[in-house]
Amino acid sequence: MIIHLVAPPSTDPTSRARSGRQIPTLLLAKTLATQNDQNARIFTIGDSSSARSAQLLGLHPNAHLTPVLGLPNSLKRILLSRLTSLQSPPTRIVCWSDELIDLATHAATQLEIPAELVSTKPNTITKPPQNIDTIRVVLSEDHDTWTTLRRTCQSDHTLESLITQPPPSPESRAEARAACAIDDDTIVIAATADAPHEVDAREFAFLLGLLSVSGYSTLGLIPSTAANLDQALRHHRGLNSPFRILTTTDPITTNLPLLDAYIHPNDTPSGSSHLLDHLLQSASIPILNLRHSGKAGFSRAQGTAGQLLDEMDQIVHSMQSRLSPTPA
């Protein structure tokens, strides 16, 4: 019996201990869908809202555990108790979230079974446990990080293909936009990150205001757990709402039919950022090459306005091509 541990993203805007990521959850869901392993047992870690986001990403856990104050290590005793009470003893633990590796290796050591990590964000680990038997990565930068940490790992290029998304059909796009009352001339831009709470809504609203002044009709799609969301909404009202803002608790995969472009705040290369970019670009969603997190978000918005507007013009042209009638 293989035990899978993953931390899906929290969607509760009132929670102080926001945690979890979309990519590890999606990777696990797609892996299990291809393997059809009846003996797998899935444990999700996070607040109550993260159980719902797991299901929206295609994962159906056998158990969901909520850590005290959002600290996964508070679950060490509870997880071990759950695993030892299973009818069949576990033979391996696979951890899909770097943030849970201490929890996973503690249980594996107590049960005397191997622990495996699918690592997509190793920079969250400052002192890795000694007893990780296998580490899989998707990006060379992650491989280098583990080498610096004096750990061996192997590259797994199959992970990228697992989350490849087909472009949304015109029908699904029209239906999704109609449901949100979005007209054909409005450019829908998502502020997205593997961990949705890492999105800075205030700076994204600033960027949308810049685009509005430049003459574009835009709608900004923002995770409900984004940082500085209240300030962004106040900024929006202060500008007399020249653009639309739509907050969402749904994962990015659910909202693909709405999108015309996206912005990714993470400039640090990792499997996490690389796989999210691959997911969106495989679905033919172009990226606006501009950060929206941190002070550099403002400076680059002002310093690269020409490039940004060129990219927006390309998106408008692409939208018009999609609306053009197909020749008989």
Side-chain angles (χ1 to χ4, degrees), residues 2-325:
I2 298 179
I3 304 300
H4 297 275
L5 288 183
V6 71
S10 168
T11 60
D12 182 2
T14 65
S15 174
R16 293 184 178 180
R18 295 169 187 168
S19 61
R21 295 187 285 125
Q22 301 178 82
I23 290 299
T25 311
L26 189 61
L27 284 174
L28 174 54
K30 296 296 185 181
T31 297
L32 294 177
T34 58
Q35 292 179 350
N36 194 26
D37 185 358
Q38 300 298 321
N39 291 323
R41 292 294 180 270
I42 307 160
F43 284 74
T44 51
I45 309 297
D47 62 26
S48 58
S49 70
S50 63
R52 175 182 176 271
S53 65
Q55 293 181 345
L56 289 174
L57 286 162
L59 192 64
H60 302 285
N62 301 97
H64 181 76
L65 304 179
T66 299
V68 178
L69 300 176
L71 302 174
N73 286 344
S74 66
L75 295 171
K76 285 182 175 179
R77 184 177 300 178
I78 295 174
L79 177 63
L80 187 59
S81 175
R82 290 288 192 97
L83 297 182
T84 54
S85 66
L86 294 172
Q87 291 183 346
S88 300
T91 57
R92 188 176 191 83
I93 294 179
V94 182
C95 180
W96 294 82
S97 300
D98 297 75
E99 302 88 333
L100 302 179
I101 190 57
D102 284 329
L103 180 63
T105 54
H106 176 267
T109 299
Q110 297 299 313
L111 297 171
E112 298 183 340
I113 59 176
E116 176 182 338
L117 171 64
V118 181
S119 178
T120 52
K121 203 169 185 180
N123 59 6
T124 63
I125 301 173
T126 54
K127 187 178 180 181
Q130 296 292 330
N131 50 344
I132 310 175
D133 295 270
T134 306
I135 302 172
R136 288 190 284 154
V137 299
V138 70
L139 205 62
S140 59
E141 284 85 351
D142 290 348
H143 193 286
D144 294 341
T145 299
W146 282 109
T147 300
T148 302
L149 293 170
R150 300 177 183 271
R151 297 292 188 274
T152 58
C153 61
Q154 60 190 47
S155 298
D156 187 346
H157 300 293
T158 65
L159 295 173
E160 189 174 90
S161 63
L162 283 173
I163 60 172
T164 299
Q165 302 287 313
S169 67
E171 292 77 16
S172 65
R173 174 180 165 83
E175 181 180 351
R177 290 171 71 97
C180 297
I182 302 172
D183 61 48
D184 292 338
D185 295 327
T186 297
I187 303 169
V188 179
I189 306 173
T192 187
D194 188 10
H197 61 274
E198 292 182 353
V199 170
D200 191 321
R202 178 178 54 197
E203 296 199 5
F204 184 51
F206 172 85
L207 174 63
L208 292 172
L210 173 66
L211 293 175
S212 176
V213 170
S214 301
Y216 296 99
S217 174
T218 59
L219 181 150
L221 188 67
I222 307 178
S224 60
T225 54
N228 302 315
L229 182 57
D230 289 340
Q231 295 94 318
L233 296 177
R234 284 198 297 270
H235 173 75
H236 183 235
R237 290 192 295 269
L239 295 176
N240 294 320
S241 305
F243 51 87
R244 287 181 62 187
I245 285 181
L246 184 64
T247 60
T248 180
T249 59
D250 291 339
I252 194 64
T253 48
T254 302
N255 290 313
L256 284 178
L258 288 175
L259 304 186
D260 298 301
Y262 77 99
I263 298 175
H264 194 164
N266 196 340
D267 281 349
T268 304
S270 69
S272 170
S273 58
H274 171 78
L275 289 171
L276 182 60
D277 283 337
H278 172 77
L279 184 154
L280 286 153
Q281 291 172 26
S282 67
S284 297
I285 311 297
I287 184 172
L288 287 175
N289 291 302
L290 179 72
R291 281 179 54 191
H292 61 83
S293 180
K295 292 182 179 179
F298 286 105
S299 62
R300 287 182 62 188
Q302 295 164 359
T304 61
Q307 175 190 339
L308 176 63
L309 298 183
D310 286 343
E311 291 178 3
M312 290 294 291
D313 286 340
Q314 292 174 13
I315 291 168
V316 171
H317 179 73
S318 175
M319 292 172 64
Q320 291 173 342
S321 299
R322 254 184 264 174
L323 294 171
S324 299

